Amino acid sequence: MCKILIEAGYFLGLSKSVLIPQKVIRFLGMLSSSTHMAFIVPDDKREKFRVLREEIIAKEAVSIKTMQRFVGKCVSFSIAIRAAAIYTRECNKAISIAATSMRQVVISPDVAKELKYWRFLDEWSGFFKWCDERHQIVTVASDASGYAWGGCLMQKGAPLEVSDYWVGKQSDQHISIKEARALIFTLQSFQNEIQNCRVDALVDNLPLVQAWAGQKGKSSVFNDVLKEIFQLTLELNLILNILYIPSKENLADAPSRSLRMSDSKLSSEMWKIIDSKFGPHTVDIMALPSNAQLPKFIAPSQIEGCAGVNVFAQFNLSAENCYCFPPFNLISSVVKFLCENAIPCSVVVPKFSPLKQWWPLIVSRATSCHRLALYGEKGIFLKPSKQGFIEFGAVPFEVWVFRLM
């Protein structure tokens, strides 16, 4: 082979050539393994990296050149460790501050935290397998508004939709953070459909697209969310490509802006009354993460954190002590389902006037009941709004809870 190449006019550097086929060969400073089908960081590089890292951690400040060496080594690992650059933001920020002030790089708590993250490499024996060249592409879309998030999974026919409301501190976050979290929730919700695939994620937020492409966020909070996205891609073994799409073409825009009265929930005071009278309850069988009264809940569609999807498809609830505040248009179906399957459940319903067709059924099948509120009382329900969950106001009916067994 050498003779043929030389006769053909090629020059060979024999000191850098491997003439006998091997399963593991050093390439660009990394081990290229045909056995594992992956690039692996060599032991000597790990040791040099460990020594440099620990020297920096032990000091209060280091020279710009020393910190640049560390960041350079981290970035060089990108061929073997996906998204390695995401974990250098605080170090790069510290370098920039030091260069401006002509001082040493200060090892702040945030910088130290990022440095210590890289300690995983000392004991890590894993690797990132090379991706198959066969592309199985799944397309999802996500979007966020000031009060809710939405996601879609593209498929033949109508897309699958998922959405929920921001709660607590999530409501106060910057819109770019919300857009990134909307993507996380969407990927988590459709994880069974997108696992082991190449995923094209369509978003209408350019900062998110640019941050993912450049593997760095403009703030520490944004960078931390990028890390969450990266960790999720590892868990699901997917290759994520985030693409920009105008808002008017984003199918997830509508679910992210929907406010549905059917997503209302009982106030905490009313819930305490029910749980003390018929509890402790174990599962909320018709809920979203934002309105669930219990950690364990069943959602109408696949969404992160749910214990199941579609209560009517669940047949293992007889051992549970269920709670349910169903949408009013589904009360009849819910009552029949619970009775037919002998599921213990506390069901909250309104007493309409005139009475609905399901009222005699629930009254006759209930083992006990309790009136929660009279007509016109306040503080019973919380409804979703652009400001979060707010008080419903005076209820235009009596509110009852029935115990079904």
Side-chain angles (χ1 to χ4, degrees):
M1 177 61 73
C2 292
K3 180 181 178 182
I4 293 173
L5 289 174
I6 293 173
E7 290 178 349
Y10 291 94
F11 292 91
L12 298 180
L14 294 178
S15 61
K16 295 184 178 181
S17 299
V18 179
L19 303 181
I20 300 175
Q22 298 181 16
K23 292 184 177 181
V24 180
I25 189 171
R26 194 153 180 151
F27 176 70
L28 296 178
M30 297 293 161
L31 299 179
S32 178
S33 172
S34 60
T35 302
H36 296 105
M37 299 296 286
F39 289 112
I40 299 171
V41 182
D43 289 340
D44 62 315
K45 274 187 170 289
R46 292 179 189 237
E47 179 59 20
K48 291 178 181 178
F49 179 72
R50 184 195 66 79
V51 171
L52 175 61
R53 182 194 65 227
E54 296 304 316
E55 285 179 356
I56 296 174
I57 292 174
K59 298 178 180 178
E60 295 183 356
V62 297
S63 67
I64 293 176
K65 184 177 180 181
T66 299
M67 186 60 80
Q68 286 176 331
R69 281 181 58 211
F70 174 80
V71 171
K73 288 181 179 292
C74 293
V75 175
S76 72
F77 293 157
S78 295
I79 191 173
I81 303 173
R82 295 178 193 167
I86 292 179
Y87 296 88
T88 62
R89 183 192 179 280
E90 296 301 330
C91 292
N92 279 318
K93 181 181 177 182
I95 291 172
S96 178
I97 293 173
T100 302
S101 61
M102 300 299 290
R103 297 178 180 178
Q104 288 192 313
V105 179
V106 176
I107 310 303
S108 67
D110 287 338
V111 173
K113 180 181 178 182
E114 192 166 79
L115 289 166
K116 291 175 182 177
Y117 164 81
W118 283 97
R119 283 175 170 167
F120 85 92
L121 193 59
D122 298 347
E123 305 295 334
W124 186 54
S125 59
F127 49 85
F128 296 105
K129 286 192 67 174
W130 299 327
C131 296
D132 292 337
E133 292 308 316
R134 177 178 175 272
H135 291 201
Q136 183 179 354
I137 298 177
V138 177
T139 302
V140 300
S142 65
D143 199 7
S145 64
Y147 51 89
W149 64 269
C152 292
L153 174 66
M154 311 307 175
Q155 58 174 12
K156 292 181 180 179
L160 291 176
E161 291 186 358
V162 63
S163 66
D164 197 9
Y165 306 97
W166 302 118
V167 294
K169 295 181 180 180
Q170 293 176 340
S171 303
D172 301 324
Q173 291 179 325
H174 189 274
I175 189 61
S176 292
I177 304 297
K178 290 180 176 177
E179 292 279 1
R181 293 211 171 278
L183 176 57
I184 291 174
F185 293 150
T186 299
L187 296 176
Q188 290 173 332
S189 298
F190 298 125
Q191 57 184 283
N192 292 335
E193 290 81 7
I194 66 176
Q195 197 165 15
N196 303 317
C197 293
R198 295 175 184 260
V199 176
D200 288 342
L202 309 179
V203 302
D204 55 19
N205 185 264
L206 272 175
L208 175 56
V209 176
Q210 294 166 348
W212 184 251
Q215 294 190 8
K216 59 181 179 180
K218 290 185 177 181
S219 68
S220 297
V221 176
F222 198 8
N223 211 59
D224 287 342
V225 180
L226 290 180
K227 292 175 183 177
E228 290 183 42
I229 296 175
F230 170 62
Q231 291 298 330
L232 186 58
T233 65
L234 297 186
E235 293 172 14
L236 301 180
N237 190 33
L238 55 85
I239 303 299
L240 180 64
N241 188 25
I242 303 180
L243 305 172
Y244 176 77
I245 185 174
S247 294
K248 61 182 180 181
E249 298 177 20
N250 192 347
L251 295 179
D253 185 67
S256 74
R257 300 180 186 280
S258 298
L259 289 171
R260 300 173 294 271
M261 290 302 297
S262 59
D263 292 332
S264 298
K265 63 179 181 178
L266 282 183
S267 66
S268 58
E269 292 77 10
M270 293 298 103
W271 163 245
K272 288 177 183 177
I273 292 174
I274 294 175
D275 202 40
S276 63
K277 192 170 184 65
F278 301 119
H281 294 85
T282 58
V283 57
D284 189 338
I285 61 174
M286 298 189 83
L288 295 168
S290 61
N291 62 18
Q293 299 287 6
L294 294 160
K296 185 178 180 180
F297 66 94
I298 296 173
S301 59
Q302 183 63 48
I303 196 167
E304 174 62 13
C306 70
V309 176
N310 185 2
V311 64
F312 300 107
Q314 307 299 316
F315 299 100
N316 58 345
L317 298 175
S318 58
E320 301 279 0
N321 185 16
C322 304
Y323 161 76
C324 184
F325 179 27
F328 296 163
N329 63 323
L330 292 178
I331 292 177
S332 179
S333 299
V334 169
V335 172
K336 290 179 181 178
F337 173 77
L338 295 173
C339 292
E340 290 172 358
N341 293 278
I343 298 172
C345 189
S346 303
V347 187
V348 176
V349 297
K351 185 178 181 181
F352 291 115
S353 181
L355 296 175
K356 297 293 184 179
Q357 80 280 1
W358 47 261
W359 184 264
L361 174 63
I362 195 171
V363 170
S364 64
R365 300 298 296 269
T367 58
S368 60
C369 62
H370 178 75
R371 184 169 60 190
L372 293 171
L374 295 169
Y375 177 95
E377 284 194 40
K378 296 181 178 180
I380 312 302
F381 297 138
L382 300 177
K383 65 179 181 180
S385 74
K386 293 183 178 180
Q387 291 76 44
F389 281 86
I390 61 174
E391 187 175 323
F392 179 85
V395 291
F397 38 66
E398 291 182 2
V399 181
W400 288 73
V401 55
F402 287 89
R403 185 63 181 170
L404 299 176
M405 298 296 287

